Amino acid sequence: MELRQLHYFVKVARKQHVTQAAEELHVAQSAVSRQIHQLEEELGVDLFQQKGRNLQLTPVGKLFLTRVEGILADLQRSVHEIHEFLDPELGEIRLGFPHSLGIHLIPSVVSQFRKNHPNVKFRFKQGMYNTLLKDVMEGEVDLAFISPSPDKHEFVTSEHMLTEELFAIMPSNHPLAGCESIRLDQLKDESFVLFREGYSLRPIVWNACLKAGFTPIIGFEGEETDTIRGLVAAGMGVSLLPGMALFETSSLQPVKVKVSEPNVTRSIGVIRRSNEDLPLVADVFHKFLLDYFKELK
């Protein structure tokens, strides 16, 4: 079985037509037909069946296509990794992060890194806490910012980067909007705008309210910091958000007030797969992150 046969097979399977596949491969139609025939003879099965003027995969052909596409993708990744090894400045970093860090932190970190590594590419993927863990474990991303930073995990290694304060936010006409700081229990009778279940900021806010002696009244739930901030600014309730999520992105902005009691913070870390070396370009970025956040402390 030759690699050329696998490429021809995938192309015919996608085009469902030998002539069209041959045109895209820039080879003779007879060469494509011959390679497919030899592949079927070696496997001892029919991979295609005629349907009108087109070719259709047989059930076993569909199974074979799934496996072959995976093999060719792994091969392409291997070639890419070799190129990265030879020149990490031409590599790509696959980075995951929660939405709340995409407003300010990620753009700041990436722009700073690219000052000295202008040719490095980034592929970003946003997600919730459990999604980011899964993406790292399954190799969808090389590194992921995550909050809270897990203390121990069987499959990922976590390194703490920074601790961020959360502020109370409220409409500009709220009675407490002019205060320099407040106690969280001063909001016990207010309607809260919270992230829905599954977002890491929700339990942080919920537990802070419990610590202050009350259970928050949920008025609205959202999935993005822009939504939370906008609903609060529009007078739909109050909430708590980290400072990095409060950079102005529209004319409608809530007022932020420091919470003096209890002190509400979130930890932010970077995770990677345990017992596995990072691709060279991702390792360069990882070392940059350690230095970058060390200087901020």
Side-chain angles (χ1 to χ4, degrees):
M1 189 178 300
E2 299 179 4
L3 183 61
R4 177 176 54 179
Q5 292 175 333
L6 299 181
H7 280 296
Y8 285 10
F9 164 70
V10 171
K11 182 63 71 173
V12 173
R14 290 173 177 170
K15 303 303 293 186
Q16 296 186 347
H17 203 284
V18 173
T19 302
Q20 293 178 11
E23 289 175 354
E24 288 201 7
L25 291 166
H26 304 291
V27 297
Q29 177 181 335
S30 58
V32 176
S33 298
R34 184 169 58 252
Q35 293 297 330
I36 296 297
H37 179 66
Q38 290 176 358
L39 181 60
E40 289 180 323
E41 280 194 336
E42 184 172 348
L43 293 172
V45 297
D46 291 329
L47 298 172
F48 296 97
Q49 59 187 2
Q50 195 74 37
K51 187 176 182 181
R53 296 184 177 181
N54 293 339
L55 290 178
Q56 188 177 61
L57 285 169
T58 62
V60 71
K62 292 178 180 179
L63 174 62
F64 190 60
L65 176 64
T66 301
R67 299 289 185 249
V68 170
E69 286 182 325
I71 291 169
L72 294 179
D74 286 340
L75 178 61
Q76 183 61 40
R77 279 194 291 269
S78 298
V79 173
H80 183 70
E81 288 172 359
I82 290 173
H83 290 163
E84 283 188 1
F85 182 82
L86 295 175
D87 189 356
E89 293 301 318
L90 299 177
E92 179 182 73
I93 299 167
R94 299 175 302 160
L95 181 65
F97 57 91
H99 180 270
S100 62
L101 298 186
I103 299 171
H104 176 71
L105 180 66
I106 299 302
S108 298
V109 169
V110 170
S111 63
Q112 188 65 32
F113 177 76
R114 283 175 57 83
K115 287 181 179 179
N116 293 323
H117 307 276
N119 295 318
V120 171
K121 298 180 178 63
F122 280 84
R123 186 188 305 174
F124 299 116
K125 190 170 184 183
Q126 292 183 321
M128 297 185 293
Y129 183 88
N130 289 331
T131 303
L132 292 170
L133 281 174
K134 183 172 179 287
D135 287 342
V136 170
M137 289 189 290
E138 294 184 352
E140 290 294 319
V141 297
D142 304 309
L143 297 163
F145 281 88
I146 198 167
S147 176
S149 178
D151 294 328
K152 292 182 180 180
H153 195 282
E154 183 178 0
F155 301 109
V156 304
T157 298
S158 173
E159 290 160 301
H160 177 76
M161 294 293 157
L162 74 156
T163 299
E164 185 182 19
E165 182 179 7
L166 270 70
F167 294 86
I169 60 171
M170 57 196 68
S172 59
N173 61 354
H174 193 280
L176 299 176
C179 297
E180 183 176 339
S181 67
I182 63 169
R183 301 184 317 276
L184 189 54
D185 62 9
Q186 290 177 263
L187 301 177
K188 65 181 179 180
D189 297 322
E190 300 284 349
S191 177
F192 273 75
V193 182
L194 296 181
F195 283 93
R196 68 173 177 82
E197 294 284 356
Y199 286 81
S200 58
L201 281 172
R202 181 187 177 101
I204 293 176
V205 176
W206 190 274
N207 291 331
C209 291
L210 294 181
K211 188 175 180 180
F214 69 97
T215 300
I217 303 167
I218 302 176
F220 297 91
E221 294 181 326
E223 297 184 1
E224 296 184 349
T225 50
D226 287 345
T227 303
I228 305 294
R229 193 173 57 237
L231 288 173
V232 170
M236 302 299 183
V238 300
S239 191
L240 272 70
L241 283 179
M244 280 189 288
L246 294 173
F247 285 86
E248 291 190 13
T249 58
S250 69
S251 58
L252 188 62
Q253 295 293 324
V255 173
K256 76 171 185 178
V257 179
K258 182 178 180 64
V259 178
S260 60
E261 185 182 341
N263 183 33
V264 188
T265 61
R266 69 167 173 174
S267 65
I268 298 172
V270 169
I271 57 174
R272 55 192 173 96
R273 288 178 294 285
S274 299
N275 304 318
E276 183 177 324
D277 292 335
L278 287 167
L280 189 57
V281 64
D283 188 53
V284 172
F285 181 62
H286 179 250
K287 291 174 180 175
F288 161 81
L289 291 177
L290 295 176
D291 292 337
Y292 180 88
F293 287 103
K294 184 178 180 181
E295 292 181 2
L296 293 180
K297 293 178 181 177

